[in-house]
Amino acid sequence: MSRPRAACTTLAPIQGLEVFDFLYLFYAFTVKKSTVVPSLLEFSWYLEEIIVNQPAFPYRIFSLGDQALSVDYGNVIDETINEEVIARYYQLKNEHIDGITELIPAYSSLTICYDLITIKKQAGSLNGFDWVKKLVEGKLEEPRPFLENKSDHIKIPVCYDREFGVDLPAIAESKNLSMDEIISIHCSKKYKVFMLGFLPGFAYMGTVDDRIAMPRKSNPVNVIPGSVGIAGIQTGIYPLFSPGGWQIIGRTPLALFNSSKEQPSLLKAGDSVSFYPIAKKEFVNF
Amino acid sequence: MKVIKAGIQDNIQDMGRFGHQHLGINPGGAMDRFAALVANWLVGNDTKEAVIELNFPASAFLFEKPLLIALSGADLGASVNGDEIPVNHPVWVGKNSLLQFHKISKGARAYLAVRGGYKIAPWLGSKSTNLKAKLGGYKGRSLHKDDDIPLNYDNQHHPVLDKKEFFVLPWHADMSWENNPDKEILVLPGAEWNRLTESGKETFMKTSFVVTNQSDRMGYRLNNQKLPVTSGEEMVSSGVSYGTIQLLPDGKLIVLMADHQTTGGYPRLAHVISAHHPRLAQLKAGEKIQFRFTDQRTAEELFLSQHQHLQQLHNACKIRLEEFLYALH
């Protein structure tokens, strides 16, 4: 019985009554989804769980040369881990730390590039690397910030015509599906943008339904901008002309990368994306 | 300033486009930043000014108006109107001078700076050419014949030129900062170094590898024998940097250079230290490369001592040029 009391006494004065009431209602209607009023005791357990027992993500930090390091959460494609990466990306970004030149969130890692000259001025007798590592470890001990209005949902029209979806027949054959089935499976899910990389504006999204997951081609071919592809359980769109090994299933008329815009990339890490099919006529007139 | 003849790949670069890697936009910038800085400083330019990165065979340029120029980095056998000019010196060239490059005798990449810089609109804070995105620099591409590159100061006539076609200013930048004449390249271990078997590690450390002709601003492919690994586990994409040495699925090595992708999915065996990026940038296809491991502290100290040397050069260049201009007034 002492557990819930501890949570209540520490929280109530800090959060104030209105927040407390709001959280209680949120818990009652959204988490419990029950018409029976949950007891305060039950509610306080819930509070303790969300506030005291924040999930911890084990990580290791390694050097990426002498002007960058990576916080690595393991070699996985996992939405919860990626959420942690993106939250930490925004946390460090908002700190505007002098000498940090780049923050690169990936599937399960956050790379931090720094200017060694600027860092050494602050590091005293420590190595630049050790100083940045310590700083980052300190930041990761802080509770992770709540991400508000950081992600958008983007609906992307795709023309799955055979002319654009050059690899549709091969996937259909290998997966024993009709091309229409592949299209409807690809359009049936909401995907998460895990990271951007490879090319300006290239979003790595997932995860793709196992029924249409296809390995990369062994030899890259030239790919046209707007091409929508599948590689393993990932899906992505080529923003530029490029050699590429993903299996191409269609093409979007949207520009994924527009250099004249202040925000040149249509997508960013943390966004969600859904695809909808359009006819070739719509593609042409888009 | 006109391009009379196109080289194989000459383009505008500066110190790079930083802060956009989270959008997949790679930093780019001069491969040999040391030489690019020195070329700029010799003509009195700011550190952030753009230079032209020249590969051999390089472009030929016509300067329609008198101009103060400097070359640094590789020695590509430059001449003005047929007469040889040295690297790492400021050179005043007269009206309608022709700058050409005849033979490559040292290094791989040269940098051409003009006083005042090239009149190029920056994209995302940098004038560097992003060849992949076809953006930045001069029309987002390497220079072609008949390109007319606009300059910030277009007439720099000076009394020293009165009776001459060109004039080599009597000082030069000393590029040697490290007492290590050999071509050894120091590296730090990468996160996936332990994926190599013991024999793989030994091969990596003891063999010198040849830079193949499949080498460009994105990366150098090496002709190593296949390095055996203990685990072939696939990797999800993650950050890489200039100098990262990756192991490709075919067992070959690639050293990532200035135009590397922002993330990669191949094992990172090691990273070339920043102080040796210029050394790496001046290697050409067919040359040998020998890696040796160092530690974080040594890597940082070398970078700091290089930086100190650069600062001294910067000050010296500034003082010499100011004195020279003042004396002739």
Side-chain angles (χ1 to χ4, degrees):
Chain A
M1 288 300 280
S2 63
R3 276 161 39 105
R5 194 181 297 146
C8 280
T9 47
T10 47
L11 279 167
I14 302 166
Q15 304 283 332
L17 233 120
E18 280 173 31
V19 179
F20 196 79
D21 288 351
F22 171 77
L23 272 171
Y24 178 73
L25 290 173
F26 175 80
Y27 174 67
F29 291 106
T30 317
V31 182
K32 284 289 284 184
K33 285 183 190 149
S34 141
T35 45
V36 183
V37 179
S39 73
L40 272 177
L41 174 65
E42 222 181 313
F43 172 54
S44 58
W45 278 335
Y46 164 71
L47 279 185
E48 187 177 333
E49 191 187 307
I50 58 162
I51 292 160
V52 184
N53 301 336
Q54 268 210 25
F57 293 90
Y59 62 85
R60 65 187 184 120
I61 289 181
F62 53 78
S63 119
L64 210 68
D66 49 27
Q67 302 207 67
L69 56 78
S70 275
V71 181
D72 184 62
Y73 294 93
N75 184 30
V76 286
I77 298 183
D78 178 285
E79 285 207 25
T80 323
I81 287 177
N82 184 252
E83 243 163 58
E84 168 77 3
V85 169
I86 293 169
R88 296 304 183 180
Y89 160 75
Y90 281 111
Q91 181 195 357
L92 290 174
K93 188 181 160 188
N94 291 337
E95 299 262 349
H96 300 284
I97 301 157
D98 205 19
I100 304 285
T101 54
E102 300 262 12
L103 293 163
I104 317 166
Y107 275 111
S108 55
S109 67
L110 177 63
T111 295
I112 296 147
C113 305
Y114 52 90
D115 169 45
L116 185 58
I117 306 297
T118 315
I119 294 296
K120 274 303 273 185
K121 284 177 192 156
Q122 311 166 66
S125 60
L126 278 183
N127 281 345
F129 170 75
D130 292 327
W131 189 84
V132 178
K133 182 170 179 255
K134 230 173 123 182
L135 175 100
V136 170
E137 282 168 346
K139 297 292 170 198
L140 295 180
E141 260 174 45
E142 292 173 16
R144 104 186 180 192
F146 180 63
L147 295 184
E148 209 181 353
N149 303 328
K150 294 288 191 204
S151 56
D152 297 300
H153 178 72
I154 293 123
K155 292 180 179 142
I156 296 183
V158 178
C159 177
Y160 293 92
D161 190 274
R162 279 278 301 277
E163 186 193 329
F164 301 146
V166 289
D167 299 316
L168 274 174
I171 304 173
E173 202 191 309
S174 133
K175 293 287 176 179
N176 215 1
L177 292 167
S178 74
M179 284 187 257
D180 285 342
E181 284 170 319
I182 297 171
I183 295 163
S184 95
I185 295 171
H186 190 249
C187 288
S188 67
K189 247 186 125 170
K190 196 158 132 182
Y191 300 98
K192 181 170 184 208
V193 176
F194 286 104
M195 61 177 280
L196 269 68
F198 172 48
L199 291 172
F202 187 98
Y204 288 83
M205 296 174 269
T207 55
V208 163
D209 192 304
D210 277 334
R211 285 173 294 168
I212 57 167
M214 275 289 280
R216 237 172 267 246
K217 295 172 193 168
S218 43
N219 289 312
V221 294
N222 286 324
V223 181
I224 289 163
S227 293
V228 178
I230 290 175
I233 54 168
Q234 313 167 98
T235 183
I237 310 165
Y238 285 81
L240 311 168
F241 278 103
S242 169
W246 292 33
Q247 310 279 350
I248 304 302
I249 58 170
R251 197 180 298 167
T252 177
L254 292 185
L256 272 293
F257 190 78
N258 184 339
S259 64
S260 57
K261 284 192 178 166
E262 198 191 330
Q263 169 59 261
S265 174
L266 177 68
L267 304 173
K268 62 182 180 302
D271 283 349
S272 61
V273 164
S274 47
F275 298 103
Y276 64 94
I278 56 168
K280 201 171 165 187
K281 208 173 138 193
E282 285 174 84
F283 179 93
V284 175
N285 297 326
F286 200 84
Chain B
M1 172 175 165
K2 278 219 169 85
V3 180
I4 297 300
K5 187 200 98 183
I8 46 163
Q9 196 194 66
D10 299 336
N11 44 61
I12 300 226
Q13 296 294 338
D14 59 11
M15 289 300 109
R17 183 175 285 114
F18 290 95
H20 308 282
Q21 290 202 63
H22 62 289
L23 299 178
I25 302 169
N26 70 299
M31 295 266 271
D32 181 348
R33 303 215 168 138
F34 191 124
L37 284 171
V38 167
N40 261 330
W41 294 340
L42 284 168
V43 295
N45 284 349
D46 186 73
T47 298
K48 286 186 175 163
E49 200 46 75
V51 293
I52 298 178
E53 184 171 276
L54 302 161
N55 286 274
F56 195 79
S59 308
F61 300 95
L62 179 71
F63 301 109
E64 290 171 334
K65 302 258 173 67
L67 207 55
L68 183 65
I69 66 165
L71 288 162
S72 186
D75 187 344
L76 305 184
S79 75
V80 169
N81 300 336
D83 289 328
E84 215 176 292
I85 61 160
V87 290
N88 297 324
H89 276 264
V91 180
W92 226 299
V93 296
K95 202 170 129 180
N96 291 325
S97 292
L98 180 64
L99 175 68
Q100 288 169 295
F101 299 91
H102 305 279
K103 61 173 202 298
I104 184 160
S105 57
K106 190 180 136 268
R109 286 171 185 83
Y111 294 87
L112 171 63
V114 301
R115 183 165 169 79
Y118 307 101
K119 203 173 185 173
I120 296 288
W123 172 55
L124 297 177
S126 162
K127 296 173 187 172
S128 286
T129 314
N130 186 319
L131 294 169
K132 194 116 208 180
K134 299 187 171 66
L135 290 164
Y138 184 84
K139 299 183 178 175
R141 59 165 170 77
S142 289
L143 301 178
H144 293 173
K145 186 176 186 285
D146 297 331
D147 282 348
D148 196 351
I149 306 161
L151 306 178
N152 284 326
Y153 304 166
D154 59 0
N155 193 347
Q156 305 177 16
H157 182 74
H158 198 275
V160 291
L161 283 170
D162 272 352
K163 294 180 192 76
K164 295 184 178 107
E165 287 183 350
F166 69 91
F167 182 78
V168 178
L169 274 56
W171 62 86
H172 82 278
D174 175 12
M175 304 295 281
S176 57
W177 61 277
E178 194 186 7
N179 301 322
N180 185 357
D182 56 37
K183 286 261 171 132
E184 202 172 60
I185 288 194
L186 293 183
V187 296
L188 290 167
E192 285 80 38
W193 167 248
N194 283 323
R195 284 208 179 189
L196 287 183
T197 62
E198 286 311 309
S199 80
K201 286 178 182 173
E202 201 169 304
T203 310
F204 183 93
M205 290 188 284
K206 294 201 172 146
T207 322
S208 59
F209 308 119
V210 174
V211 177
T212 69
N213 54 15
Q214 278 176 286
S215 297
D216 55 20
R217 282 187 48 87
M218 286 181 72
Y220 291 177
R221 276 171 179 262
L222 308 181
N223 85 329
N224 57 293
Q225 66 181 81
K226 192 176 165 164
L227 297 177
V229 289
T230 54
S231 150
E233 188 197 345
E234 270 207 38
M235 282 178 54
V236 300
S237 278
S238 165
V240 291
S241 61
Y242 185 174
T244 297
I245 304 168
Q246 287 182 317
L247 183 66
L248 300 176
D250 63 3
K252 300 278 185 188
L253 296 169
I254 184 166
V255 189
L256 301 184
M257 300 300 289
D259 277 351
H260 66 84
Q261 294 172 8
T262 54
T263 54
Y266 298 126
R268 295 155 291 190
L269 299 184
H271 307 277
V272 174
I273 66 168
S274 299
H276 284 176
H277 288 175
R279 203 173 262 196
L280 197 57
Q282 293 301 348
L283 287 172
K284 49 183 170 287
E287 284 189 308
K288 280 190 173 171
I289 187 167
Q290 169 80 55
F291 299 120
R292 188 164 65 79
F293 276 98
T294 186
D295 54 46
Q296 207 78 35
R297 180 163 287 273
T298 313
E300 292 190 5
E301 277 167 4
L302 282 171
F303 187 71
L304 293 173
S305 98
Q306 186 185 54
H307 178 73
Q308 246 167 20
H309 181 77
L310 275 168
Q311 290 230 289
Q312 285 163 6
L313 274 179
H314 191 183
N315 292 334
C317 286
K318 218 166 162 173
I319 292 166
R320 293 304 294 264
L321 189 62
E322 273 168 15
E323 280 175 357
F324 179 81
L325 294 176
Y326 183 77
L328 283 159
H329 259 292

